[in-house]
């Protein structure tokens, strides 16, 4: 079957055909000629000729042997034979001369090659592969020997099979390609062999012809001009060229590796000349028909176009280009367009032909395409004509209107794709002539984009066409002088194309191509407007940065037959995106343009997905690296709004993804270099060359891992090479600080705004990093910041969303640092959102005063705002204030002065500012009363409980040591001490556990501001109360609380009495702040505000009774001050000044006069008119007060006895009327008040008789705490407290709290315990008094007396048993 028999017979007769072989073998012919010229005839014969007969016989013998069918066995048998031959020949050659040895080796190798060529006729694929490999290896060592052997074999065996010859052609091609040079004789010989077999028809068909053609192509590598000459001769015969000729010319046209440098242009020139010579064939019908038939012939595979067909499209286009007759050109182009457009390679070939023709016939080609685009098949294929066209065609062709497809539909379905590609090829081939046509071409491309049935085919055609057009325009130097009006519409199409790309796949280079097109279009005129540029950036960034991880992208391609390299495709797409950004900045090298680009990257830098952040930071770093290296920015441009970029990159320096960290640090390094470069270029300096990239090594040596855009991270070398610039040697925090040094105030502000915005992120690392950035920036540059008011407001808004304690602490610490230089601005800002006050705002206030000097300044600013006292925005007619209107800062300052008294950060500052605060709060109370604002309903005054505050307070240490272990009593929130009562194991206790003090920077959870805002008046009053309690003036507070004196501040009429009562309490308690308050109030007497002068004069008139006053204000100076106040514009101030001038301090003679009036007053206690008695007792109290330090000690015993006798005034034995009971209640209350005033006046004087009266009054006062009259109860409490102070009881503060607010068993037990503990010597008197109250007509008093007796210890009961049994 393979022609083996014929091969044997030919080998047997080889010796008889020596002369013919000589004629066919050029090397043998040359040698024969040399022999004839040798007279001695000793020239060696060719090895092939001399051994041809023996080798043929040897091969014949071997061929006659029975060859096993097993390929492996056959292979094993062949190799040992060769080895034995080699050994025998080598052993014999050792004894022969050198020339004979070389001859024998050459003969031996030729025989081996001959045998292997014969074995190519086998059918074992593995053995054939082995033989071909061996022959190629031999060809690399001795190509001439192999070529000669192949030639001889083909000549000696002309009847071998086509398959065998096919394999020989492949071997011959490989040998020729392996040869460094090919002799001319061999070129001609093998070229003739190839030309003879290229057109030969065999059972192998085109495969055989292609193998022969490949031999010709291999010869072209050594001498393409000779081959081209033969090809040209064959083509110009007038007969349509054979397919193999077109195949060779197609390979020559497409494969540049065949030619040496510069030779490809020569071939193209020769091809153009060939086309010119072939123009004559266009008018030959047979030639034209065969051409069209070859062009429309279906390909073996529609994915790849055979070389002959690809060349034919080029050849056809060149012929039409050379044609002078435009009618002929139009006719041929229209005929070509009327062929099928179903297959992609066919469409590309048609477009190439049209483009080549357009190089010389642009107008005619445009007309043909326009005419073709208006044809009926094209209209039917367009989207806008789909419905009507299909229905009409269905009625004509009897097709289904719904699908309406047949073979003709497929032929024209993608015709618009051909038109698009044709436009692109026109632009490429027309070169400089295309510029006036660009807008027309773009308009047609946009039309087909919108109205064609969109699919992947049309998309790729559209992109290819636009790429060709844009590339042609970009390469044209005259493009800058044109304005292209259709660029905007084309960009819209590209954005639509990008948006239609699948969001979760990356299988094609569509994104990359589209971005490249956009980059090129942006360089054309007119320049893009800001809106269009922003749309392009948003679309491109979203299409690339929002892609899933590369692992996910690869999963979408797992079912592809030829899956793309996702890593490479993504890298190219990212590179295209970088080029787009660089193109924008090159077109407009300004900082505004840079800000525009970065502003579109900022949302991606803050993305919650790590891969999106990494891609965005890589793009930002690449852009900064480009700017740093290219120095493309205008040096006159000042960097603006760069602070946001520093903030974003600084935050990403703490990203969990190490790759993002490194890229962010590198970006900051390049930004630093860019800032330095801009400064250096502005001033004449030499710029140092910047490094290209930062080393990816981490500081701690940990491996760098990415978010998934890099398939494998390169191993970190042990010694990393860093750029020379010092900025790349620093860690991230130091880099940020270095960059900050070169930022302006506005840029630093932008940086802080970015950090504040990061506090509201949902990512914990961003919140922590933002807090670090904020703290670092304010610590380094807080002093020179501007618009800190807005910054403080923004921090407050973000603080509520910060859930990380460390981040919140750093943010608050930043406020503390910011307050060092911007206290007034921050205070004013915080006041705006502090009504109502929430826990986050309160944390900001506490942070504001964390440093002692700043806390003093905060209080000073608040006092300044308090004195503004602007009218509130609400109506003044008594209606509620609208909630949507902000409260004035004056009232907000009042509220904050109240709240800050409980913050430990302001404790010392409040104590130091007590005089200013006292006077300011009293003036504020008067101000709120003047406004007639609606007030909250008053709580019952017995007891008068202070208002609940908005936030929990810091617990305050007691002012005196606790001697007993006491359980906690519920205290009013404005009191500073923890209350302790002595424990009694046999009685049930309900102690209140103390609260641990909270950190100054920790929010108070669960204590948000109530919805119903307290009135300004109640807030002012609570602030005054808390001022006294938190600064250690609880005794003054107790005086007003136990007397119910706070209600005096509720009306404008009783307000002076309240102020006087407070000042009197300070005098009686020997307040240490009297001197400071006096020094502060003296300037207030000259204030423009009448209320401030009124407050000052009220306090001063009471302070005249304090000896301490004279240390600050001597007597004569006081007279001058009061005399000056007599000329005050306010009548109230003048009256109060006149009263002050009547003080005993200025009239010592009044002392004796008042003392002489006391006995008559005491006689008045026994008047029948009970109202007169009450008034007389009040007068005696007033006399005692006016005497002050000069009190009547001699009459004190008489006053005490007379006053105490009215504690239990029961009146007549008959049942009294309700009016009588009310009057007698007034007498008891007045008597207790007088006794208390006497005790206060005698404080500090050792009078044993008075102390006895005080001891005897304790039980009645104690039991009257259960009196039915509230007024009596109030006076009993206050007098009991004053007596305890005189007797120097311990735990007086706890006693006050118990008397003021406690109502349970614990309060009663504590009072009884105090009484029994401090009055053991007078216990008999107390027991007798308690026994007497068992007969009281008041049920509650009687019950308390019995309970008191029941509490008497057993020892005391036995000692006083007769008395107890008697009662």
């Amino acid at each position: 079957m393979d022609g083996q028999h014929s091969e044997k017979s030919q080998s047997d007769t080889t010796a008889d055909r020596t002369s013919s072989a000589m004629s066919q073998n050029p090397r043998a012919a040359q040698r024969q000629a040399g022999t004839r010229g040798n007279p001695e005839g000793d020239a060696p014969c060719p090895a092939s000729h001399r051994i041809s007969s023996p080798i043929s016989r040897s091969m014949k013998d071997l061929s006659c042997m029975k060859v096993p069918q097993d390929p492996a066995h056959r292979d094993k048998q062949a190799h040992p034979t060769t080895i034995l031959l080699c050994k025998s020949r080598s052993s014999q050659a050792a004894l022969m001369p050198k020339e004979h040895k070389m001859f024998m080796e050459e003969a031996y190798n030729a025989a081996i090659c001959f045998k292997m060529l014969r074995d190519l006729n086998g059918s074992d694929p593995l053995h054939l592969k082995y033989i071909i490999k061996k022959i190629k290896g031999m060809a690399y060592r001795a190509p001439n020997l192999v070529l000669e052997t192949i030639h001889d074999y083909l000549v000696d065996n002309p009847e071998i099979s086509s398959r065998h010859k096919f394999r020989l052609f492949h071997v011959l091609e490989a040998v020729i390609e392996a040869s460094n040079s090919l002799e001319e004789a061999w070129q001609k010989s093998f070229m003739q062999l190839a030309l003879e077999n290229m057109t030969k028809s065999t059972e192998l068909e085109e495969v055989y012809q292609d193998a022969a053609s490949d031999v010709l192509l291999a010869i072209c590598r050594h001498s393409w001009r000779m081959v081209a000459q033969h090809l040209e001769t064959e083509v110009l015969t007038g007969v349509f060229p054979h397919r193999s000729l077109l195949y060779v010319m197609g390979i020559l046209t497409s494969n540049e590796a065949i030619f040496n440098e510069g030779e490809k242009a020569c071939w193209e020139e020769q091809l153009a000349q060939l086309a010119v010579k072939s123009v004559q064939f266009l008018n030959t019908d047979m030639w034209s028909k065969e051409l069209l038939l070859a062009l429309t012939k279906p390909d073996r595979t529609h994915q790849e176009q055979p070389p002959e067909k690809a060349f034919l499209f080029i050849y056809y286009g060149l012929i039409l280009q050379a044609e002078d007759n435009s009618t002929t050109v139009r006719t041929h182009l229209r005929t070509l367009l009327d062929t099928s457009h179903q297959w992609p390679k066919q469409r590309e070939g048609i477009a190439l032909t049209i483009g080549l023709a357009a190089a010389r016939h642009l107008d005619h080609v445009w007309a043909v395409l326009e005419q073709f685009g208006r044809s009926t098949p094209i209209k039917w294929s367009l989207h806008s004509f789909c419905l009507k066209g299909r229905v009409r065609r269905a009625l004509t062709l009897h097709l289904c209107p719904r699908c309406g497809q047949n073979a003709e539909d497929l032929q024209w379905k993608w015709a618009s794709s051909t038109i698009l590609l044709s436009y692109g090829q026109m632009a490429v081939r027309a070169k400089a002539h295309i510029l006036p046509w660009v807008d027309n071409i773009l308009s047609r491309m946009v039309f087909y984009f919108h109205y064609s049935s969109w699919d992947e085919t049309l998309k790729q055609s559209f992109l290819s066409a636009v790429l060709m057009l844009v590339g042609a325009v970009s390469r044209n130097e005259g493009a800058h002088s044109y304005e292209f009006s259709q660029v905007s519409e084309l960009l819209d199409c590209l954005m639509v194309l990008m948006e239609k790309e699948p969001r979760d796949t990356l299988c094609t280079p569509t994104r990359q191509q589209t971005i490249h097109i956009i980059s090129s279009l942006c360089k054309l005129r007119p320049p893009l407007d800001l809106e269009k540029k922003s749309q392009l950036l948003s679309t491109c960034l979203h299409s690339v940065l929002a892609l899933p991880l590369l692992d996910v992208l690869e999963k979408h391609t797992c079912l592809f037959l030829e899956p793309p390299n996702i890593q490479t495709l993504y890298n190219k797409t990212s590179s295209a995106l970088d080029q787009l950004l660089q193109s924008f900045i090159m077109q407009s090298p300004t900082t505004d343009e840079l800000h525009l680009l970065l502003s579109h990257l900022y949302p991606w830098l803050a993305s919650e997905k790590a891969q999106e952040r990494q891609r965005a930071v890589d793009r930002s770093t690449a852009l900064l690296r480009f700017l740093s290296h290219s120095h493309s920015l205008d040096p006159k441009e000042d960097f603006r709004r760069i602070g946001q970029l520093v903030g974003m990159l600084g935050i990403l320096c703490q990203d969990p993804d190490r790759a993002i960290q490194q890229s962010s640090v590198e970006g900051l390094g390049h930004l630093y270099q860019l800032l330095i470069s801009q400064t250096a270029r502005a001033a004449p300096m030499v710029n140092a060359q910047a490094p290209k990239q930062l080393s990816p090594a981490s500081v701690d040596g940990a491996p760098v891992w990415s978010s998934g855009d890099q398939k494998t991270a390169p191993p970190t070398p042990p010694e990393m090479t860093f750029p020379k610039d010092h900025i790349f040697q620093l860690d991230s925090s130091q880099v940020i600080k270095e960059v900050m040094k070169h930022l302006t105030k506005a840029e630093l502000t932008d940086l802080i705004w970015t950090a504040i915005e990061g506090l509201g992120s949902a990512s914990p690392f961003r919140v922590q990093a933002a807090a670090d950035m904020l703290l670092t920036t304010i610590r380094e540059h807080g002093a020179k910041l501007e618009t800190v008011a807005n910054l403080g407001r923004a921090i407050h808004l973000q603080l509520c969303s910060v859930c990380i304690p460390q981040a919140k602490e750093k943010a608050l610490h930043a406020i503390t640092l910011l307050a060092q230089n911007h206290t007034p601005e921050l205070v004013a800002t915080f006041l705006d959102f502090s009504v109502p006050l929430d826990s986050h705002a309160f944390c900001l206030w506490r942070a504001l005063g964390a440093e002692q000097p700043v806390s003093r300044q905060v209080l000073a600013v608040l006092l300044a705002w308090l004195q503004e006292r602007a009218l509130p925005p609400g109506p003044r007619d008594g209606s509620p204030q609208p909630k949507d209107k902000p409260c004035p800062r004056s009232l907000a300052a009042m509220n904050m002065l109240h709240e800050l008294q409980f913050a430990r950060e302001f404790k010392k500052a409040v104590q130091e500012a007590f005089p200013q605060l006292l006077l300011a709060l009293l003036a504020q109370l008067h101000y709120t009363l003047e406004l007639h604002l609606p007030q909250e309903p008053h709580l019952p005054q017995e007891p008068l409980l202070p208002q609940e505050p908005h936030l929990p307070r810091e617990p305050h240490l007691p002012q005196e040591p606790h001697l007993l272990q006491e359980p906690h009593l519920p205290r009013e929130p404005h009191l500073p001490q923890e209350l302790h009562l002595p424990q009694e194991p046999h009685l049930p206790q309900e102690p209140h556990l103390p609260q641990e003090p909270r950190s100054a920077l920790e929010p108070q959870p669960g204590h948000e501001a109530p919805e119903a805002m307290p009135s300004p008046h109640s807030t002012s009053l609570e602030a005054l109360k808390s001022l006294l309690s938190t600064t250690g003036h609880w005794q003054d507070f107790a005086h007003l609380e136990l007397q119910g004196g706070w209600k005096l501040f509720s009306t404008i009429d009783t307000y002076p009495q309240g102020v006087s009562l407070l000042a009197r309490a300070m005098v009686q308690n020997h307040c240490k702040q009297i001197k400071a308050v006096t020094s502060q109030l003296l300037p207030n007497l000259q204030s423009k505000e009448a209320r401030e002068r009124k407050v000052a004069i009220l306090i001063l008139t009471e302070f005249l009774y304090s000896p301490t006053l004279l240390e600050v204000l001597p007597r004569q100076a006081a007279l001058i001050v009061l005399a000056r106040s007599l000329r005050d514009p306010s009548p109230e101030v003048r009256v109060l000044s006149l009263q002050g001038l009547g003080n005993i301090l200025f009239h010592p003679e009044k002392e004796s006069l008042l003392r002489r009036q006391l006995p008559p007053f005491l006689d008045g206690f026994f008047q029948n008119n009970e109202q007169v008695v009450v008034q007389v007792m009040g007068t005696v109290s007033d006399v005692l007060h006016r005497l002050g330090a000069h009190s009547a000690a001699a009459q004190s015993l008489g006053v005490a006895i007379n006053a105490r006798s009215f504690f239990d005034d029961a009146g007549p034995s008959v049942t009294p009327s309700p009016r009588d009971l009310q009057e007698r209640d007034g007498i008891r209350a007045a008597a207790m008040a007088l006794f208390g005033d006497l005790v206060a006046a005698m404080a500090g004087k050792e009078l044993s008789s008075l102390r006895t009266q005080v001891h005897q009054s304790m039980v009645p006062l104690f039991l009257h705490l259960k009196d039915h009259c509230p007024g009596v109860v109030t006076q009993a409490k206050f007098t009991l407290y004053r007596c305890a102070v005189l007797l120097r009881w311990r735990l007086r503060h706890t006693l006050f709290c118990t008397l003021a607010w406690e109502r349970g068993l614990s309060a009663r037990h504590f009072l009884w315990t105090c009484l029994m503990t401090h009055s053991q010597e007078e216990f008999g008197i107390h027991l007798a008094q308690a026994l007497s109250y068992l007969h009281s007509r008041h049920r509650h008093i009687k019950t308390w007396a019995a309970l008191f007796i029941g509490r008497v210890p057993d020892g005391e009961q036995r000692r006083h048993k007769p008395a107890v049994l008697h009662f």
Side-chain angles (χ1 to χ4, degrees), residues 700-909:
D700 55 359
V704 177
W705 60 274
S706 67
S707 59
D709 282 347
Q710 299 295 332
K711 297 299 296 177
T712 56
T716 305
E719 294 184 1
M720 301 304 299
T721 58
F722 291 92
K724 296 181 180 180
D725 199 306
H726 78 284
I727 193 66
F728 295 97
Q729 307 292 336
L730 307 177
D731 58 18
S732 60
S733 61
Q734 293 174 331
V735 172
I736 294 172
K737 292 179 181 179
E738 290 296 324
V739 174
M740 286 181 185
K741 295 178 181 179
H742 299 274
L743 299 182
T744 62
K745 294 180 181 179
E747 292 165 356
L748 288 171
T749 303
D750 290 341
L751 171 58
I752 293 179
W753 276 110
T754 304
I756 293 174
E757 184 179 358
L759 293 176
S761 174
S763 299
F765 92 88
R766 291 189 65 85
V767 177
Q768 187 66 47
D772 293 338
M773 177 73 66
L774 178 64
L775 182 59
T776 301
T777 307
I778 293 179
R779 179 184 288 117
E780 298 292 331
H781 306 280
K784 59 182 179 181
L785 290 177
E786 298 177 352
T787 66
V788 294
N790 294 331
L791 298 179
R793 187 177 297 107
I795 292 176
H796 170 255
L797 293 177
Q798 296 289 1
L799 201 61
C800 59
S801 60
V802 179
C803 301
I804 303 176
Q806 297 85 350
K808 180 172 290 188
E809 183 177 353
K810 290 181 180 180
L812 294 173
H813 189 197
I815 291 293
T816 301
L817 298 178
L818 197 61
Q820 294 175 354
N821 301 282
H822 306 282
T823 303
E825 298 95 320
L826 290 176
V827 170
T829 301
F830 290 178
L831 286 176
D832 293 337
F833 54 75
S834 295
V835 179
L837 182 67
D838 55 40
S839 61
H840 303 292
F842 190 64
C843 288
L844 289 174
W845 282 103
R846 298 175 69 177
L848 201 62
E851 296 181 355
Q852 194 60 36
V854 179
S855 63
R856 299 188 187 100
Q857 191 176 0
V858 169
L859 291 181
V861 176
L862 286 175
L863 286 173
W865 277 110
L866 182 65
Q867 293 175 359
E868 293 293 328
R869 296 193 178 96
L871 293 178
R876 300 182 59 189
D877 55 358
S879 60
Q881 182 177 344
K883 291 183 179 180
D884 57 344
K885 292 185 179 180
C887 294
R889 287 181 175 175
S890 174
L891 300 180
M894 181 70 261
N895 182 61
M896 286 316 305
L897 287 173
H898 173 216
E899 300 293 344
L900 295 181
Q901 294 170 15
F902 302 97
R904 68 167 177 265
E905 292 82 5
F906 290 88
K907 182 177 181 181
K908 186 175 182 180

Side-chain angles (χ1 to χ4, degrees), residues 183-199:
E183 297 179 3
E184 182 179 357
W186 286 124
Q187 294 177 7
K188 294 180 179 180
S189 178
F190 287 121
M191 182 175 65
Q192 186 63 33
L193 176 66
L195 290 173
E196 290 177 357
N197 288 273
M198 281 169 53
T199 58

Side-chain angles (χ1 to χ4, degrees), residues 873-1054:
R876 300 182 59 189
D877 55 358
S879 60
Q881 182 177 344
K883 291 183 179 180
D884 57 344
K885 292 185 179 180
C887 294
R889 287 181 175 175
S890 174
L891 300 180
M894 181 70 261
N895 182 61
M896 286 316 305
L897 287 173
H898 173 216
E899 300 293 344
L900 295 181
Q901 294 170 15
F902 302 97
R904 68 167 177 265
E905 292 82 5
F906 290 88
K907 182 177 181 181
K908 186 175 182 180
V910 170
Q911 291 176 348
E912 294 175 354
F914 175 81
Q916 298 92 328
L917 290 172
L918 177 65
L919 297 176
L921 294 177
L922 289 173
Q924 182 70 12
L925 273 172
H926 194 281
Y927 165 70
T928 57
L929 292 174
E930 291 175 353
L931 293 178
H932 303 289
L933 292 177
Q935 301 182 13
E936 296 176 331
H938 295 289
L939 297 175
Q941 295 298 323
E942 186 58 38
L944 183 63
L945 297 177
Q947 185 178 351
E948 290 291 334
H950 309 314
L951 294 169
R953 310 296 177 215
E954 296 289 339
H956 296 270
L957 297 176
Q959 300 297 322
E960 58 186 22
H962 290 229
L963 302 179
L964 297 176
Q965 182 77 15
E966 304 171 1
H968 293 289
L969 294 175
R971 62 183 177 89
E972 289 304 308
H974 62 271
L975 294 177
Q977 293 84 0
E978 295 286 351
L979 308 182
H980 300 276
L981 296 178
Q983 292 187 359
E984 298 188 12
H986 59 282
L987 292 176
Q989 301 285 336
E990 296 181 0
H992 296 265
L993 297 177
Q995 295 183 351
E996 292 293 331
R998 293 185 178 272
S999 171
L1001 302 180
E1002 183 180 355
Q1004 313 292 337
H1007 293 273
E1008 299 296 332
E1011 294 183 1
M1013 282 297 301
S1015 67
H1017 176 75
S1018 61
T1019 303
S1020 303
L1021 184 59
E1022 290 301 318
L1024 179 60
K1025 293 180 182 180
S1026 60
L1027 177 65
L1028 296 175
S1029 61
T1030 57
T1031 55
H1033 299 81
W1034 66 268
Q1035 297 94 337
D1036 307 328
F1037 177 85
H1039 273 64
L1040 272 75
E1041 182 68 29
L1042 293 176
Q1043 295 182 80
W1046 300 119
K1047 63 183 178 181
L1048 299 175
F1049 292 98
S1050 59
T1051 63
I1052 196 70
D1053 297 330
T1054 59

Side-chain angles (χ1 to χ4, degrees), residues 1092-1169:
E1092 294 183 358
R1093 300 196 303 273
K1094 181 179 179 180
V1095 170
I1097 198 65
L1098 283 170
I1099 296 176
L1100 180 60
T1101 54
E1102 290 296 331
F1103 279 5
L1104 292 174
Y1105 297 101
S1106 173
T1108 310
L1109 177 70
L1110 299 178
E1111 299 178 11
V1112 180
L1113 187 66
R1115 178 174 176 273
Q1116 189 62 31
L1119 281 172
I1120 296 174
V1121 170
L1122 293 174
R1124 187 186 303 117
S1125 298
L1126 291 175
R1127 299 186 298 271
D1128 193 275
S1130 172
E1132 295 180 334
V1133 175
R1134 294 197 298 269
V1135 171
L1136 293 171
S1137 302
L1138 188 59
Q1139 293 178 359
L1141 289 173
N1143 192 283
I1144 196 174
L1145 177 65
F1146 309 112
H1147 306 280
E1149 65 277 5
K1150 284 187 177 182
E1151 177 183 353
S1152 59
L1153 177 62
L1154 292 176
R1155 287 179 178 178
R1156 289 195 299 270
Q1157 297 299 323
L1158 281 177
F1161 287 152
L1162 295 178
D1163 296 337
F1165 288 2
F1166 301 98
Q1167 296 288 331
N1168 294 327
N1169 191 334

